Amino acid sequence: MSEPDRQHESGSAAAVGDYFLPAGSGSRHVIFPGVEIRTTAGHQLMLSVVRFEPGSVVADHSHPHEQMGMMISGRLEFTVDDTTRVLGPGDIWRIPGGVVHSVRALEEPAVALDVFHPIREDYL
Amino acid sequence: MSEPDRQHESGSAAAVGDYFLPAGSGSRHVIFPGVEIRTTAGHQLMLSVVRFEPGSVVADHSHPHEQMGMMISGRLEFTVDDTTRVLGPGDIWRIPGGVVHSVRALEEPAVALDVFHPIREDYL
């Protein structure tokens, strides 16, 4: 993500050796207006719980990291390359490294879980 | 997982090039009695949606793959190495490769999302 962090609390990240992390923990970043992530890094995997306010947008971007994820609640309009879909709970995305993608929240809040490999150093 | 598949439907797996996969899709395996997974593989990441019936158990096992995951619904008793915790929605686990772990469902059904790196060939 080329957008600079508007807010970042790294102090909330768990110790790297912990096996269990409670809901709502992780390193907090506000990556776009109305889009907050909480990230937890392993060795080669990173989880990112993403909370979208209604109407918020993650603009077109790409990164070398492979990304997959699943909708937890609400609905989001996802665009990957030239394909756009509205996704709901349980729907999955799979974005190879380097492929441009964007997300737009609809009229409701939404929560998604993103997974990255390797870990995104900018999200630690 | 050393346990043999009791059921496996690989025909439901999506084409590897698809960016979006609908809820409930993926390759289905029943890995233990009452424990069903639906897996979706990328290049170096695999997602596995795991459905536990009440009282079902994933016995002690380990694998070289790094594993992380998040509770989606219900509660599960997780044991990683010598640490046991009851986890609920939004709680996260982080299991380095080679570390023994097990899971026990309580009195209710539960759904978890597991993530593996690299992909588990036995779950394709």
Side-chain angles (χ1 to χ4, degrees):
Chain A
M1 189 88 55
S2 58
E3 195 75 3
D5 272 355
R6 291 185 178 75
Q7 298 177 31
H8 174 213
E9 300 168 9
S10 61
S12 56
V16 73
D18 291 346
Y19 294 138
F20 302 111
L21 305 307
S25 64
S27 178
R28 178 177 181 267
H29 304 251
V30 177
I31 58 170
F32 284 94
V35 184
E36 176 197 283
I37 64 174
R38 291 272 185 180
T39 63
T40 304
H43 294 285
Q44 292 290 328
L45 290 174
M46 174 177 269
L47 300 193
S48 174
V49 178
V50 191
R51 294 182 183 278
F52 297 81
E53 293 179 8
S56 59
V57 172
V58 172
D60 270 349
H61 66 290
S62 69
H63 39 71
H65 315 69
E66 183 178 3
Q67 177 176 349
M68 293 181 72
M70 190 176 85
M71 283 300 298
I72 305 299
S73 64
R75 293 185 312 141
L76 291 170
E77 184 191 85
F78 253 80
T79 300
V80 180
D81 197 2
D82 291 332
T83 306
T84 297
R85 295 279 175 81
V86 174
L87 305 183
D91 290 342
I92 284 173
W93 50 95
R94 181 169 54 180
I95 309 172
V99 175
V100 173
H101 52 287
S102 60
V103 186
R104 189 168 70 86
L106 305 177
E107 315 75 27
E108 57 191 324
V111 179
L113 179 67
D114 271 322
V115 185
F116 298 101
H117 164 76
I119 67 171
R120 293 191 58 166
E121 302 283 347
D122 52 335
Y123 283 177
L124 285 173
Chain B
M1 192 84 57
S2 59
E3 196 75 3
D5 273 356
R6 291 183 177 78
Q7 297 178 34
H8 174 213
E9 300 167 10
S10 60
S12 56
V16 73
D18 291 346
Y19 293 137
F20 302 111
L21 303 308
S25 64
S27 178
R28 178 176 181 268
H29 304 252
V30 178
I31 58 169
F32 284 94
V35 184
E36 175 196 283
I37 65 173
R38 292 272 184 180
T39 63
T40 303
H43 294 286
Q44 293 289 329
L45 290 174
M46 174 178 267
L47 300 193
S48 175
V49 178
V50 191
R51 294 182 183 278
F52 296 81
E53 293 179 8
S56 59
V57 172
V58 172
D60 270 348
H61 67 290
S62 68
H63 40 70
H65 314 69
E66 183 178 3
Q67 178 176 347
M68 293 181 73
M70 191 175 86
M71 284 299 297
I72 306 299
S73 65
R75 294 185 312 142
L76 291 171
E77 184 191 84
F78 253 80
T79 300
V80 179
D81 198 1
D82 291 332
T83 306
T84 297
R85 295 278 175 82
V86 174
L87 305 183
D91 290 343
I92 284 174
W93 50 94
R94 180 168 55 179
I95 309 171
V99 175
V100 173
H101 52 287
S102 60
V103 186
R104 188 169 70 87
L106 305 178
E107 316 76 25
E108 56 190 325
V111 180
L113 180 66
D114 271 323
V115 185
F116 298 102
H117 163 76
I119 68 171
R120 292 192 57 167
E121 301 283 347
D122 52 334
Y123 282 177
L124 284 173

